[in-house]
PDB file of all heavy atoms in Angstrom:
ATOM      1  N   GLY A  19     -26.654   1.750  -6.430  1.00  0.00           N
ATOM      2  CA  GLY A  19     -27.486   0.897  -5.606  1.00  0.00           C
ATOM      3  C   GLY A  19     -28.952   1.288  -5.644  1.00  0.00           C
ATOM      4  O   GLY A  19     -29.375   2.185  -6.369  1.00  0.00           O
ATOM      5  N   PHE A  20     -29.712   0.608  -4.825  1.00  0.00           N
ATOM      6  CA  PHE A  20     -31.149   0.789  -4.723  1.00  0.00           C
ATOM      7  C   PHE A  20     -31.435   1.277  -3.317  1.00  0.00           C
ATOM      8  O   PHE A  20     -31.082   0.623  -2.336  1.00  0.00           O
ATOM      9  CB  PHE A  20     -31.853  -0.543  -4.994  1.00  0.00           C
ATOM     10  CG  PHE A  20     -33.335  -0.489  -4.787  1.00  0.00           C
ATOM     11  CD1 PHE A  20     -34.130   0.261  -5.619  1.00  0.00           C
ATOM     12  CD2 PHE A  20     -33.915  -1.207  -3.752  1.00  0.00           C
ATOM     13  CE1 PHE A  20     -35.494   0.305  -5.433  1.00  0.00           C
ATOM     14  CE2 PHE A  20     -35.284  -1.174  -3.570  1.00  0.00           C
ATOM     15  CZ  PHE A  20     -36.074  -0.415  -4.409  1.00  0.00           C
ATOM     16  N   ALA A  21     -32.023   2.458  -3.182  1.00  0.00           N
ATOM     17  CA  ALA A  21     -32.265   3.053  -1.870  1.00  0.00           C
ATOM     18  C   ALA A  21     -33.650   2.707  -1.325  1.00  0.00           C
ATOM     19  O   ALA A  21     -33.952   3.014  -0.190  1.00  0.00           O
ATOM     20  CB  ALA A  21     -32.099   4.563  -1.951  1.00  0.00           C
ATOM     21  N   GLY A  22     -34.510   2.099  -2.107  1.00  0.00           N
ATOM     22  CA  GLY A  22     -35.824   1.708  -1.593  1.00  0.00           C
ATOM     23  C   GLY A  22     -36.960   2.347  -2.377  1.00  0.00           C
ATOM     24  O   GLY A  22     -36.758   3.061  -3.348  1.00  0.00           O
ATOM     25  N   PHE A  23     -38.183   2.074  -1.922  1.00  0.00           N
ATOM     26  CA  PHE A  23     -39.384   2.602  -2.566  1.00  0.00           C
ATOM     27  C   PHE A  23     -39.910   3.791  -1.787  1.00  0.00           C
ATOM     28  O   PHE A  23     -39.819   3.842  -0.556  1.00  0.00           O
ATOM     29  CB  PHE A  23     -40.470   1.530  -2.646  1.00  0.00           C
ATOM     30  CG  PHE A  23     -40.172   0.463  -3.648  1.00  0.00           C
ATOM     31  CD1 PHE A  23     -39.571  -0.720  -3.270  1.00  0.00           C
ATOM     32  CD2 PHE A  23     -40.483   0.654  -4.983  1.00  0.00           C
ATOM     33  CE1 PHE A  23     -39.292  -1.704  -4.186  1.00  0.00           C
ATOM     34  CE2 PHE A  23     -40.207  -0.329  -5.924  1.00  0.00           C
ATOM     35  CZ  PHE A  23     -39.615  -1.508  -5.519  1.00  0.00           C
ATOM     36  N   THR A  24     -40.420   4.757  -2.490  1.00  0.00           N
ATOM     37  CA  THR A  24     -41.089   5.901  -1.864  1.00  0.00           C
ATOM     38  C   THR A  24     -42.479   5.993  -2.463  1.00  0.00           C
ATOM     39  O   THR A  24     -42.871   5.178  -3.295  1.00  0.00           O
ATOM     40  CB  THR A  24     -40.311   7.207  -2.130  1.00  0.00           C
ATOM     41  OG1 THR A  24     -40.384   7.491  -3.530  1.00  0.00           O
ATOM     42  CG2 THR A  24     -38.873   7.107  -1.679  1.00  0.00           C
ATOM     43  N   GLY A  25     -43.202   7.006  -2.075  1.00  0.00           N
ATOM     44  CA  GLY A  25     -44.554   7.207  -2.621  1.00  0.00           C
ATOM     45  C   GLY A  25     -44.555   7.507  -4.102  1.00  0.00           C
ATOM     46  O   GLY A  25     -45.581   7.374  -4.763  1.00  0.00           O
ATOM     47  N   VAL A  26     -43.388   7.905  -4.651  1.00  0.00           N
ATOM     48  CA  VAL A  26     -43.320   8.215  -6.081  1.00  0.00           C
ATOM     49  C   VAL A  26     -42.617   7.122  -6.870  1.00  0.00           C
ATOM     50  O   VAL A  26     -42.362   7.287  -8.054  1.00  0.00           O
ATOM     51  CB  VAL A  26     -42.614   9.578  -6.314  1.00  0.00           C
ATOM     52  CG1 VAL A  26     -43.428  10.707  -5.758  1.00  0.00           C
ATOM     53  CG2 VAL A  26     -41.214   9.569  -5.747  1.00  0.00           C
ATOM     54  N   GLY A  27     -42.279   6.010  -6.225  1.00  0.00           N
ATOM     55  CA  GLY A  27     -41.640   4.916  -6.937  1.00  0.00           C
ATOM     56  C   GLY A  27     -40.268   4.587  -6.372  1.00  0.00           C
ATOM     57  O   GLY A  27     -39.861   5.116  -5.341  1.00  0.00           O
ATOM     58  N   PRO A  28     -39.571   3.691  -7.059  1.00  0.00           N
ATOM     59  CA  PRO A  28     -38.260   3.273  -6.543  1.00  0.00           C
ATOM     60  C   PRO A  28     -37.218   4.389  -6.689  1.00  0.00           C
ATOM     61  O   PRO A  28     -37.293   5.214  -7.583  1.00  0.00           O
ATOM     62  CB  PRO A  28     -37.899   2.077  -7.421  1.00  0.00           C
ATOM     63  CG  PRO A  28     -38.659   2.296  -8.677  1.00  0.00           C
ATOM     64  CD  PRO A  28     -39.927   3.009  -8.290  1.00  0.00           C
ATOM     65  N   ILE A  29     -36.259   4.390  -5.775  1.00  0.00           N
ATOM     66  CA  ILE A  29     -35.167   5.359  -5.794  1.00  0.00           C
ATOM     67  C   ILE A  29     -33.861   4.596  -6.022  1.00  0.00           C
ATOM     68  O   ILE A  29     -33.519   3.698  -5.261  1.00  0.00           O
ATOM     69  CB  ILE A  29     -35.058   6.113  -4.457  1.00  0.00           C
ATOM     70  CG1 ILE A  29     -36.346   6.821  -4.142  1.00  0.00           C
ATOM     71  CG2 ILE A  29     -33.846   7.026  -4.446  1.00  0.00           C
ATOM     72  CD1 ILE A  29     -36.381   8.266  -4.473  1.00  0.00           C
ATOM     73  N   PHE A  30     -33.182   4.956  -7.079  1.00  0.00           N
ATOM     74  CA  PHE A  30     -31.863   4.394  -7.357  1.00  0.00           C
ATOM     75  C   PHE A  30     -30.835   5.497  -7.176  1.00  0.00           C
ATOM     76  O   PHE A  30     -31.150   6.667  -7.364  1.00  0.00           O
ATOM     77  CB  PHE A  30     -31.796   3.847  -8.787  1.00  0.00           C
ATOM     78  CG  PHE A  30     -32.675   2.668  -9.010  1.00  0.00           C
ATOM     79  CD1 PHE A  30     -33.979   2.830  -9.469  1.00  0.00           C
ATOM     80  CD2 PHE A  30     -32.223   1.387  -8.758  1.00  0.00           C
ATOM     81  CE1 PHE A  30     -34.797   1.739  -9.677  1.00  0.00           C
ATOM     82  CE2 PHE A  30     -33.038   0.296  -8.956  1.00  0.00           C
ATOM     83  CZ  PHE A  30     -34.329   0.470  -9.419  1.00  0.00           C
ATOM     84  N   PHE A  31     -29.638   5.127  -6.818  1.00  0.00           N
ATOM     85  CA  PHE A  31     -28.590   6.139  -6.702  1.00  0.00           C
ATOM     86  C   PHE A  31     -27.361   5.697  -7.476  1.00  0.00           C
ATOM     87  O   PHE A  31     -27.122   4.525  -7.685  1.00  0.00           O
ATOM     88  CB  PHE A  31     -28.252   6.458  -5.236  1.00  0.00           C
ATOM     89  CG  PHE A  31     -27.700   5.296  -4.454  1.00  0.00           C
ATOM     90  CD1 PHE A  31     -26.339   5.041  -4.414  1.00  0.00           C
ATOM     91  CD2 PHE A  31     -28.550   4.464  -3.738  1.00  0.00           C
ATOM     92  CE1 PHE A  31     -25.832   3.981  -3.687  1.00  0.00           C
ATOM     93  CE2 PHE A  31     -28.053   3.405  -3.008  1.00  0.00           C
ATOM     94  CZ  PHE A  31     -26.698   3.156  -2.986  1.00  0.00           C
ATOM     95  N   ASP A  32     -26.617   6.681  -7.926  1.00  0.00           N
ATOM     96  CA  ASP A  32     -25.402   6.461  -8.705  1.00  0.00           C
ATOM     97  C   ASP A  32     -24.474   7.635  -8.410  1.00  0.00           C
ATOM     98  O   ASP A  32     -24.670   8.724  -8.915  1.00  0.00           O
ATOM     99  CB  ASP A  32     -25.753   6.414 -10.188  1.00  0.00           C
ATOM    100  CG  ASP A  32     -24.552   6.069 -11.054  1.00  0.00           C
ATOM    101  OD1 ASP A  32     -23.448   5.926 -10.502  1.00  0.00           O
ATOM    102  OD2 ASP A  32     -24.723   5.944 -12.269  1.00  0.00           O
ATOM    103  N   ASP A  33     -23.501   7.422  -7.538  1.00  0.00           N
ATOM    104  CA  ASP A  33     -22.601   8.494  -7.120  1.00  0.00           C
ATOM    105  C   ASP A  33     -21.168   8.164  -7.484  1.00  0.00           C
ATOM    106  O   ASP A  33     -20.719   7.039  -7.317  1.00  0.00           O
ATOM    107  CB  ASP A  33     -22.673   8.704  -5.599  1.00  0.00           C
ATOM    108  CG  ASP A  33     -23.927   9.424  -5.177  1.00  0.00           C
ATOM    109  OD1 ASP A  33     -24.303  10.384  -5.863  1.00  0.00           O
ATOM    110  OD2 ASP A  33     -24.522   9.035  -4.161  1.00  0.00           O
ATOM    111  N   ALA A  34     -20.467   9.163  -7.962  1.00  0.00           N
ATOM    112  CA  ALA A  34     -19.024   9.047  -8.174  1.00  0.00           C
ATOM    113  C   ALA A  34     -18.352   9.560  -6.914  1.00  0.00           C
ATOM    114  O   ALA A  34     -18.545  10.706  -6.522  1.00  0.00           O
ATOM    115  CB  ALA A  34     -18.600   9.867  -9.386  1.00  0.00           C
ATOM    116  N   LEU A  35     -17.622   8.703  -6.266  1.00  0.00           N
ATOM    117  CA  LEU A  35     -16.915   9.079  -5.034  1.00  0.00           C
ATOM    118  C   LEU A  35     -15.453   9.282  -5.367  1.00  0.00           C
ATOM    119  O   LEU A  35     -14.731   8.343  -5.632  1.00  0.00           O
ATOM    120  CB  LEU A  35     -17.066   7.985  -3.975  1.00  0.00           C
ATOM    121  CG  LEU A  35     -18.490   7.607  -3.596  1.00  0.00           C
ATOM    122  CD1 LEU A  35     -18.480   6.487  -2.591  1.00  0.00           C
ATOM    123  CD2 LEU A  35     -19.226   8.811  -3.056  1.00  0.00           C
ATOM    124  N   GLY A  36     -15.042  10.498  -5.372  1.00  0.00           N
ATOM    125  CA  GLY A  36     -13.632  10.789  -5.614  1.00  0.00           C
ATOM    126  C   GLY A  36     -12.933  11.042  -4.289  1.00  0.00           C
ATOM    127  O   GLY A  36     -13.374  10.630  -3.243  1.00  0.00           O
ATOM    128  N   GLY A  37     -11.886  11.758  -4.370  1.00  0.00           N
ATOM    129  CA  GLY A  37     -11.182  12.102  -3.155  1.00  0.00           C
ATOM    130  C   GLY A  37      -9.697  11.954  -3.353  1.00  0.00           C
ATOM    131  O   GLY A  37      -9.246  11.216  -4.207  1.00  0.00           O
ATOM    132  N   SER A  38      -8.997  12.681  -2.572  1.00  0.00           N
ATOM    133  CA  SER A  38      -7.543  12.624  -2.628  1.00  0.00           C
ATOM    134  C   SER A  38      -7.022  12.438  -1.213  1.00  0.00           C
ATOM    135  O   SER A  38      -6.807  13.409  -0.496  1.00  0.00           O
ATOM    136  CB  SER A  38      -6.986  13.913  -3.229  1.00  0.00           C
ATOM    137  OG  SER A  38      -7.431  14.059  -4.558  1.00  0.00           O
ATOM    138  N   PRO A  39      -6.834  11.184  -0.796  1.00  0.00           N
ATOM    139  CA  PRO A  39      -6.287  10.992   0.539  1.00  0.00           C
ATOM    140  C   PRO A  39      -4.884  11.588   0.612  1.00  0.00           C
ATOM    141  O   PRO A  39      -4.108  11.480  -0.335  1.00  0.00           O
ATOM    142  CB  PRO A  39      -6.262   9.475   0.712  1.00  0.00           C
ATOM    143  CG  PRO A  39      -6.354   8.913  -0.657  1.00  0.00           C
ATOM    144  CD  PRO A  39      -7.041   9.937  -1.502  1.00  0.00           C
ATOM    145  N   ASN A  40      -4.609  12.264   1.711  1.00  0.00           N
ATOM    146  CA  ASN A  40      -3.290  12.858   1.882  1.00  0.00           C
ATOM    147  C   ASN A  40      -3.025  13.063   3.356  1.00  0.00           C
ATOM    148  O   ASN A  40      -3.944  13.062   4.160  1.00  0.00           O
ATOM    149  CB  ASN A  40      -3.185  14.177   1.111  1.00  0.00           C
ATOM    150  CG  ASN A  40      -4.233  15.168   1.554  1.00  0.00           C
ATOM    151  OD1 ASN A  40      -4.140  15.729   2.642  1.00  0.00           O
ATOM    152  ND2 ASN A  40      -5.244  15.384   0.723  1.00  0.00           N
ATOM    153  N   GLY A  41      -1.762  13.229   3.701  1.00  0.00           N
ATOM    154  CA  GLY A  41      -1.404  13.494   5.076  1.00  0.00           C
ATOM    155  C   GLY A  41       0.074  13.285   5.332  1.00  0.00           C
ATOM    156  O   GLY A  41       0.825  12.820   4.480  1.00  0.00           O
ATOM    157  N   VAL A  42       0.471  13.628   6.538  1.00  0.00           N
ATOM    158  CA  VAL A  42       1.863  13.483   6.977  1.00  0.00           C
ATOM    159  C   VAL A  42       2.096  12.037   7.388  1.00  0.00           C
ATOM    160  O   VAL A  42       1.203  11.382   7.931  1.00  0.00           O
ATOM    161  CB  VAL A  42       2.145  14.430   8.160  1.00  0.00           C
ATOM    162  CG1 VAL A  42       3.540  14.221   8.717  1.00  0.00           C
ATOM    163  CG2 VAL A  42       1.950  15.876   7.729  1.00  0.00           C
ATOM    164  N   ILE A  43       3.290  11.534   7.123  1.00  0.00           N
ATOM    165  CA  ILE A  43       3.663  10.178   7.497  1.00  0.00           C
ATOM    166  C   ILE A  43       5.062  10.228   8.112  1.00  0.00           C
ATOM    167  O   ILE A  43       5.910  10.972   7.649  1.00  0.00           O
ATOM    168  CB  ILE A  43       3.608   9.227   6.275  1.00  0.00           C
ATOM    169  CG1 ILE A  43       3.912   7.794   6.679  1.00  0.00           C
ATOM    170  CG2 ILE A  43       4.515   9.693   5.171  1.00  0.00           C
ATOM    171  CD1 ILE A  43       3.625   6.794   5.584  1.00  0.00           C
ATOM    172  N   GLY A  44       5.251   9.462   9.177  1.00  0.00           N
ATOM    173  CA  GLY A  44       6.563   9.458   9.811  1.00  0.00           C
ATOM    174  C   GLY A  44       6.707   8.291  10.765  1.00  0.00           C
ATOM    175  O   GLY A  44       5.723   7.755  11.262  1.00  0.00           O
ATOM    176  N   GLY A  45       7.942   7.896  11.010  1.00  0.00           N
ATOM    177  CA  GLY A  45       8.155   6.780  11.909  1.00  0.00           C
ATOM    178  C   GLY A  45       9.628   6.484  12.112  1.00  0.00           C
ATOM    179  O   GLY A  45      10.484   7.353  11.952  1.00  0.00           O
ATOM    180  N   ALA A  46       9.896   5.236  12.465  1.00  0.00           N
ATOM    181  CA  ALA A  46      11.252   4.819  12.789  1.00  0.00           C
ATOM    182  C   ALA A  46      11.548   3.460  12.170  1.00  0.00           C
ATOM    183  O   ALA A  46      10.630   2.708  11.830  1.00  0.00           O
ATOM    184  CB  ALA A  46      11.426   4.739  14.298  1.00  0.00           C
ATOM    185  N   HIS A  47      12.830   3.167  12.023  1.00  0.00           N
ATOM    186  CA  HIS A  47      13.261   1.861  11.535  1.00  0.00           C
ATOM    187  C   HIS A  47      14.485   1.407  12.317  1.00  0.00           C
ATOM    188  O   HIS A  47      15.238   2.225  12.847  1.00  0.00           O
ATOM    189  CB  HIS A  47      13.526   1.871  10.023  1.00  0.00           C
ATOM    190  CG  HIS A  47      14.558   2.868   9.589  1.00  0.00           C
ATOM    191  ND1 HIS A  47      14.248   4.149   9.222  1.00  0.00           N
ATOM    192  CD2 HIS A  47      15.908   2.774   9.487  1.00  0.00           C
ATOM    193  CE1 HIS A  47      15.342   4.798   8.893  1.00  0.00           C
ATOM    194  NE2 HIS A  47      16.379   3.979   9.051  1.00  0.00           N
ATOM    195  N   VAL A  48      14.645   0.116  12.397  1.00  0.00           N
ATOM    196  CA  VAL A  48      15.799  -0.483  13.060  1.00  0.00           C
ATOM    197  C   VAL A  48      16.205  -1.706  12.249  1.00  0.00           C
ATOM    198  O   VAL A  48      15.348  -2.387  11.667  1.00  0.00           O
ATOM    199  CB  VAL A  48      15.500  -0.842  14.532  1.00  0.00           C
ATOM    200  CG1 VAL A  48      14.407  -1.884  14.645  1.00  0.00           C
ATOM    201  CG2 VAL A  48      16.761  -1.302  15.259  1.00  0.00           C
ATOM    202  N   GLY A  49      17.498  -1.960  12.188  1.00  0.00           N
ATOM    203  CA  GLY A  49      17.954  -3.101  11.405  1.00  0.00           C
ATOM    204  C   GLY A  49      19.324  -3.574  11.841  1.00  0.00           C
ATOM    205  O   GLY A  49      20.006  -2.941  12.658  1.00  0.00           O
ATOM    206  N   TYR A  50      19.717  -4.702  11.276  1.00  0.00           N
ATOM    207  CA  TYR A  50      21.038  -5.264  11.524  1.00  0.00           C
ATOM    208  C   TYR A  50      21.560  -5.842  10.216  1.00  0.00           C
ATOM    209  O   TYR A  50      20.844  -6.569   9.521  1.00  0.00           O
ATOM    210  CB  TYR A  50      20.994  -6.360  12.585  1.00  0.00           C
ATOM    211  CG  TYR A  50      22.363  -6.924  12.874  1.00  0.00           C
ATOM    212  CD1 TYR A  50      23.244  -6.258  13.717  1.00  0.00           C
ATOM    213  CD2 TYR A  50      22.797  -8.099  12.272  1.00  0.00           C
ATOM    214  CE1 TYR A  50      24.515  -6.757  13.961  1.00  0.00           C
ATOM    215  CE2 TYR A  50      24.068  -8.605  12.514  1.00  0.00           C
ATOM    216  CZ  TYR A  50      24.917  -7.927  13.360  1.00  0.00           C
ATOM    217  OH  TYR A  50      26.174  -8.411  13.593  1.00  0.00           O
ATOM    218  N   ASN A  51      22.804  -5.513   9.887  1.00  0.00           N
ATOM    219  CA  ASN A  51      23.495  -6.060   8.722  1.00  0.00           C
ATOM    220  C   ASN A  51      24.700  -6.870   9.176  1.00  0.00           C
ATOM    221  O   ASN A  51      25.338  -6.539  10.180  1.00  0.00           O
ATOM    222  CB  ASN A  51      23.999  -4.942   7.802  1.00  0.00           C
ATOM    223  CG  ASN A  51      22.893  -4.298   7.020  1.00  0.00           C
ATOM    224  OD1 ASN A  51      21.927  -4.935   6.632  1.00  0.00           O
ATOM    225  ND2 ASN A  51      23.027  -3.002   6.792  1.00  0.00           N
ATOM    226  N   TYR A  52      25.004  -7.897   8.417  1.00  0.00           N
ATOM    227  CA  TYR A  52      26.216  -8.678   8.648  1.00  0.00           C
ATOM    228  C   TYR A  52      26.964  -8.794   7.335  1.00  0.00           C
ATOM    229  O   TYR A  52      26.413  -9.276   6.344  1.00  0.00           O
ATOM    230  CB  TYR A  52      25.880 -10.064   9.199  1.00  0.00           C
ATOM    231  CG  TYR A  52      27.118 -10.889   9.450  1.00  0.00           C
ATOM    232  CD1 TYR A  52      27.970 -10.573  10.499  1.00  0.00           C
ATOM    233  CD2 TYR A  52      27.445 -11.949   8.619  1.00  0.00           C
ATOM    234  CE1 TYR A  52      29.121 -11.311  10.720  1.00  0.00           C
ATOM    235  CE2 TYR A  52      28.598 -12.697   8.841  1.00  0.00           C
ATOM    236  CZ  TYR A  52      29.423 -12.370   9.887  1.00  0.00           C
ATOM    237  OH  TYR A  52      30.563 -13.094  10.107  1.00  0.00           O
ATOM    238  N   GLN A  53      28.198  -8.328   7.324  1.00  0.00           N
ATOM    239  CA  GLN A  53      29.025  -8.373   6.114  1.00  0.00           C
ATOM    240  C   GLN A  53      29.929  -9.594   6.176  1.00  0.00           C
ATOM    241  O   GLN A  53      30.651  -9.791   7.145  1.00  0.00           O
ATOM    242  CB  GLN A  53      29.870  -7.109   5.997  1.00  0.00           C
ATOM    243  CG  GLN A  53      30.675  -7.053   4.719  1.00  0.00           C
ATOM    244  CD  GLN A  53      31.321  -5.694   4.525  1.00  0.00           C
ATOM    245  OE1 GLN A  53      30.972  -4.720   5.179  1.00  0.00           O
ATOM    246  NE2 GLN A  53      32.271  -5.649   3.608  1.00  0.00           N
ATOM    247  N   ILE A  54      29.863 -10.419   5.132  1.00  0.00           N
ATOM    248  CA  ILE A  54      30.718 -11.606   5.016  1.00  0.00           C
ATOM    249  C   ILE A  54      31.845 -11.225   4.066  1.00  0.00           C
ATOM    250  O   ILE A  54      31.679 -11.262   2.851  1.00  0.00           O
ATOM    251  CB  ILE A  54      29.917 -12.810   4.494  1.00  0.00           C
ATOM    252  CG1 ILE A  54      28.684 -13.042   5.353  1.00  0.00           C
ATOM    253  CG2 ILE A  54      30.795 -14.051   4.445  1.00  0.00           C
ATOM    254  CD1 ILE A  54      27.681 -14.020   4.776  1.00  0.00           C
ATOM    255  N   PRO A  55      33.011 -10.821   4.599  1.00  0.00           N
ATOM    256  CA  PRO A  55      34.076 -10.305   3.721  1.00  0.00           C
ATOM    257  C   PRO A  55      34.687 -11.394   2.859  1.00  0.00           C
ATOM    258  O   PRO A  55      34.857 -12.527   3.284  1.00  0.00           O
ATOM    259  CB  PRO A  55      35.097  -9.732   4.706  1.00  0.00           C
ATOM    260  CG  PRO A  55      34.791 -10.339   6.024  1.00  0.00           C
ATOM    261  CD  PRO A  55      33.365 -10.796   5.995  1.00  0.00           C
ATOM    262  N   GLY A  56      35.006 -11.021   1.634  1.00  0.00           N
ATOM    263  CA  GLY A  56      35.702 -11.918   0.723  1.00  0.00           C
ATOM    264  C   GLY A  56      34.932 -13.163   0.339  1.00  0.00           C
ATOM    265  O   GLY A  56      35.504 -14.114  -0.190  1.00  0.00           O
ATOM    266  N   TRP A  57      33.634 -13.183   0.575  1.00  0.00           N
ATOM    267  CA  TRP A  57      32.851 -14.381   0.319  1.00  0.00           C
ATOM    268  C   TRP A  57      32.350 -14.446  -1.119  1.00  0.00           C
ATOM    269  O   TRP A  57      31.873 -15.449  -1.573  1.00  0.00           O
ATOM    270  CB  TRP A  57      31.671 -14.429   1.293  1.00  0.00           C
ATOM    271  CG  TRP A  57      30.957 -15.725   1.323  1.00  0.00           C
ATOM    272  CD1 TRP A  57      31.483 -16.934   1.628  1.00  0.00           C
ATOM    273  CD2 TRP A  57      29.577 -15.954   1.060  1.00  0.00           C
ATOM    274  NE1 TRP A  57      30.525 -17.902   1.577  1.00  0.00           N
ATOM    275  CE2 TRP A  57      29.327 -17.316   1.227  1.00  0.00           C
ATOM    276  CE3 TRP A  57      28.524 -15.131   0.695  1.00  0.00           C
ATOM    277  CZ2 TRP A  57      28.091 -17.881   1.043  1.00  0.00           C
ATOM    278  CZ3 TRP A  57      27.279 -15.687   0.525  1.00  0.00           C
ATOM    279  CH2 TRP A  57      27.085 -17.055   0.694  1.00  0.00           C
ATOM    280  N   SER A  58      32.507 -13.369  -1.854  1.00  0.00           N
ATOM    281  CA  SER A  58      31.960 -13.294  -3.202  1.00  0.00           C
ATOM    282  C   SER A  58      33.060 -12.979  -4.209  1.00  0.00           C
ATOM    283  O   SER A  58      33.869 -12.087  -3.996  1.00  0.00           O
ATOM    284  CB  SER A  58      30.892 -12.197  -3.256  1.00  0.00           C
ATOM    285  OG  SER A  58      30.562 -11.914  -4.594  1.00  0.00           O
ATOM    286  N   TRP A  59      33.075 -13.685  -5.330  1.00  0.00           N
ATOM    287  CA  TRP A  59      34.013 -13.385  -6.403  1.00  0.00           C
ATOM    288  C   TRP A  59      33.601 -12.108  -7.127  1.00  0.00           C
ATOM    289  O   TRP A  59      34.369 -11.489  -7.826  1.00  0.00           O
ATOM    290  CB  TRP A  59      34.085 -14.532  -7.399  1.00  0.00           C
ATOM    291  CG  TRP A  59      32.749 -14.872  -7.990  1.00  0.00           C
ATOM    292  CD1 TRP A  59      31.874 -15.789  -7.525  1.00  0.00           C
ATOM    293  CD2 TRP A  59      32.129 -14.272  -9.128  1.00  0.00           C
ATOM    294  NE1 TRP A  59      30.737 -15.800  -8.291  1.00  0.00           N
ATOM    295  CE2 TRP A  59      30.868 -14.873  -9.303  1.00  0.00           C
ATOM    296  CE3 TRP A  59      32.499 -13.282 -10.026  1.00  0.00           C
ATOM    297  CZ2 TRP A  59      29.991 -14.525 -10.305  1.00  0.00           C
ATOM    298  CZ3 TRP A  59      31.610 -12.934 -11.044  1.00  0.00           C
ATOM    299  CH2 TRP A  59      30.385 -13.563 -11.169  1.00  0.00           C
ATOM    300  N   PHE A  60      32.338 -11.679  -6.916  1.00  0.00           N
ATOM    301  CA  PHE A  60      31.785 -10.525  -7.623  1.00  0.00           C
ATOM    302  C   PHE A  60      32.104  -9.212  -6.916  1.00  0.00           C
ATOM    303  O   PHE A  60      32.073  -8.166  -7.516  1.00  0.00           O
ATOM    304  CB  PHE A  60      30.268 -10.713  -7.740  1.00  0.00           C
ATOM    305  CG  PHE A  60      29.588  -9.704  -8.599  1.00  0.00           C
ATOM    306  CD1 PHE A  60      29.772  -9.697  -9.964  1.00  0.00           C
ATOM    307  CD2 PHE A  60      28.754  -8.748  -8.040  1.00  0.00           C
ATOM    308  CE1 PHE A  60      29.146  -8.768 -10.760  1.00  0.00           C
ATOM    309  CE2 PHE A  60      28.122  -7.812  -8.824  1.00  0.00           C
ATOM    310  CZ  PHE A  60      28.316  -7.830 -10.187  1.00  0.00           C
ATOM    311  N   SER A  61      32.388  -9.270  -5.622  1.00  0.00           N
ATOM    312  CA  SER A  61      32.589  -8.061  -4.842  1.00  0.00           C
ATOM    313  C   SER A  61      33.867  -8.169  -4.024  1.00  0.00           C
ATOM    314  O   SER A  61      34.108  -9.177  -3.378  1.00  0.00           O
ATOM    315  CB  SER A  61      31.394  -7.861  -3.908  1.00  0.00           C
ATOM    316  OG  SER A  61      31.685  -6.964  -2.883  1.00  0.00           O
ATOM    317  N   SER A  62      34.652  -7.108  -4.001  1.00  0.00           N
ATOM    318  CA  SER A  62      35.898  -7.126  -3.239  1.00  0.00           C
ATOM    319  C   SER A  62      35.661  -7.045  -1.735  1.00  0.00           C
ATOM    320  O   SER A  62      36.481  -7.502  -0.956  1.00  0.00           O
ATOM    321  CB  SER A  62      36.781  -5.967  -3.684  1.00  0.00           C
ATOM    322  OG  SER A  62      36.115  -4.738  -3.452  1.00  0.00           O
ATOM    323  N   SER A  63      34.558  -6.475  -1.293  1.00  0.00           N
ATOM    324  CA  SER A  63      34.293  -6.334   0.139  1.00  0.00           C
ATOM    325  C   SER A  63      33.345  -7.392   0.670  1.00  0.00           C
ATOM    326  O   SER A  63      33.126  -7.469   1.869  1.00  0.00           O
ATOM    327  CB  SER A  63      33.713  -4.953   0.439  1.00  0.00           C
ATOM    328  OG  SER A  63      34.653  -3.954   0.141  1.00  0.00           O
TER     329      SER A  63
END
């Protein structure tokens, strides 16, 4: 980018921003399943 003009002329910048985001993650899940028995020729259950 362009940072502006100073007494010595224009100032441009060019930075490589790296970084390695990291951290702990945790939580919960809830769900419901419904099994339809014998409904498929592909599966016995």
Side-chain angles (χ1 to χ4, degrees):
F20 175 67
F23 288 95
T24 67
V26 294
I29 302 261
F30 293 92
F31 63 89
D32 185 357
D33 285 318
L35 303 178
S38 297
N40 58 73
V42 175
I43 184 169
H47 58 269
V48 63
Y50 181 80
N51 286 326
Y52 180 71
Q53 184 171 345
I54 306 168
W57 192 59
S58 167
W59 57 268
F60 188 70
S61 163
S62 60
S63 296

